[in-house]
Amino acid sequence: LDNERQVIPWVRSRTPDGKETIYRSTEVTVSDDSLSRAFTRRMDCIDCHNRPTHIYVPPDRSIDRALLAGTIDRTLPFIKAQAVEALSKDYASTPQGIDGIASSLRGYYTAKYPAVYASKKPQVDAAVARVQDIFRNTRFPEMKVDWRTHPDNIGHFYFTGCFRCHDNQHVSKDGKVISKDCNICHSVLSQEQAGVVMADMPKNSFQHPVDLGDLTQFSCSDCHTGSAMAQ
């Protein structure tokens, strides 16, 4: 229903023997007349792999990569949370963002951890410089462009992605549902959290680190926004 192809109220599948199944969303109400006039697109690679370029990495993933690469000192207290928060803020311009990141991170450590700031000022300065560099490459306030303006439909972590159709809400007349069950696509070989095995193949499906109950009632992107809200 939209140019970005994020709202898909109608799906038709056709098997090799010619049998068709129509799934309609129970959440998005669209009249038959509107559907008859709507553009019908045959699904192809680009419907999921829609970001071959113009990839704007979310703040929390950018900081994870910097921590993994060692360009941000992971021994600085709460550095991920503070860096993601500074990087997630909306700034009116690039210079304002650069200044805001420096002010936010240095202000945090001078106020909350003055001893750490005194002993590790070079590491704090290096973290500031790296977050500023990430900002220059992923946030473009003058153009109003960032990770939120360019959804990535591969997977379903930060954006609806797969769940545009696999949402348990697309139902056929005979009651068939496009399932949201993790095991439809994923085979969990193993999973552990803090050294504790949470799932192993073939007994279990994915186990969320925090018990949320029935995971089919949620989408990852409900909480994982890529910004400080996800921390």
Side-chain angles (χ1 to χ4, degrees), residues 81-106:
Q82 294 304 311
V84 172
E85 181 177 351
L87 191 57
S88 299
K89 292 178 181 176
D90 288 323
Y91 303 97
S93 67
T94 297
Q96 186 184 104
I98 298 303
D99 293 342
I101 288 168
S103 176
S104 177
L105 290 179
R106 290 197 178 101

Side-chain angles (χ1 to χ4, degrees), residues 58 60-61 64 80 147 152-163 186 206 208-209 219-227 230-231:
D60 67 342
R61 183 168 290 179
D64 277 344
K80 179 181 177 179
W147 82 101
D152 188 345
N153 290 326
I154 297 178
H156 47 72
F157 196 64
Y158 296 113
F159 303 99
T160 308
C162 310
F163 293 153
H186 299 283
F206 171 73
H208 195 276
S219 292
C220 304
S221 57
D222 291 343
C223 299
H224 296 276
T225 64
S227 69
Q231 303 310 303

Side-chain angles (χ1 to χ4, degrees), residues 103-131:
S103 176
S104 177
L105 290 179
R106 290 197 178 101
Y108 176 78
Y109 286 104
T110 55
K112 299 291 186 179
Y113 295 93
V116 171
Y117 187 75
S119 64
K120 293 192 173 185
K121 186 177 184 301
Q123 290 89 331
V124 173
D125 290 341
V128 168
R130 184 68 188 106
V131 177

Side-chain angles (χ1 to χ4, degrees), residues 29-193:
T29 302
V30 183
S31 68
D32 290 335
D33 181 59
S34 294
L35 282 175
S36 68
R37 291 183 283 106
F39 173 66
T40 302
R41 172 183 171 81
R42 181 173 182 174
M43 186 177 180
D44 65 20
C45 305
I46 300 299
D47 287 298
C48 294
H49 297 266
N50 67 318
R51 292 261 73 84
T53 187
H54 294 97
I55 299 170
Y56 299 94
V57 182
D60 67 342
R61 183 168 290 179
S62 296
I63 299 303
D64 277 344
R65 290 178 177 178
L67 289 167
L68 182 63
T71 55
I72 293 178
D73 186 348
R74 69 181 66 188
T75 67
L76 295 172
F78 299 101
I79 184 57
K80 179 181 177 179
Q82 294 304 311
V84 172
E85 181 177 351
L87 191 57
S88 299
K89 292 178 181 176
D90 288 323
Y91 303 97
S93 67
T94 297
Q96 186 184 104
I98 298 303
D99 293 342
I101 288 168
S103 176
S104 177
L105 290 179
R106 290 197 178 101
Y108 176 78
Y109 286 104
T110 55
K112 299 291 186 179
Y113 295 93
V116 171
Y117 187 75
S119 64
K120 293 192 173 185
K121 186 177 184 301
Q123 290 89 331
V124 173
D125 290 341
V128 168
R130 184 68 188 106
V131 177
Q132 289 173 327
D133 189 47
I134 292 171
F135 182 87
R136 292 187 187 96
N137 287 283
T138 61
R139 304 288 310 271
F140 302 91
E142 291 84 357
M143 299 177 67
K144 296 180 171 56
V145 168
D146 59 30
W147 82 101
R148 295 167 295 185
T149 60
H150 286 63
D152 188 345
N153 290 326
I154 297 178
H156 47 72
F157 196 64
Y158 296 113
F159 303 99
T160 308
C162 310
F163 293 153
R164 292 173 296 163
C165 298
H166 285 271
D167 60 357
N168 276 359
Q169 301 297 328
H170 283 72
V171 184
S172 68
K173 287 184 177 179
D174 58 355
K176 291 181 180 179
V177 176
I178 303 181
S179 178
K180 199 178 183 181
D181 187 338
C182 299
N183 291 336
I184 292 293
C185 298
H186 299 283
S187 295
V188 179
L189 300 180
S190 65
Q191 182 189 350
E192 69 175 50
Q193 181 82 6

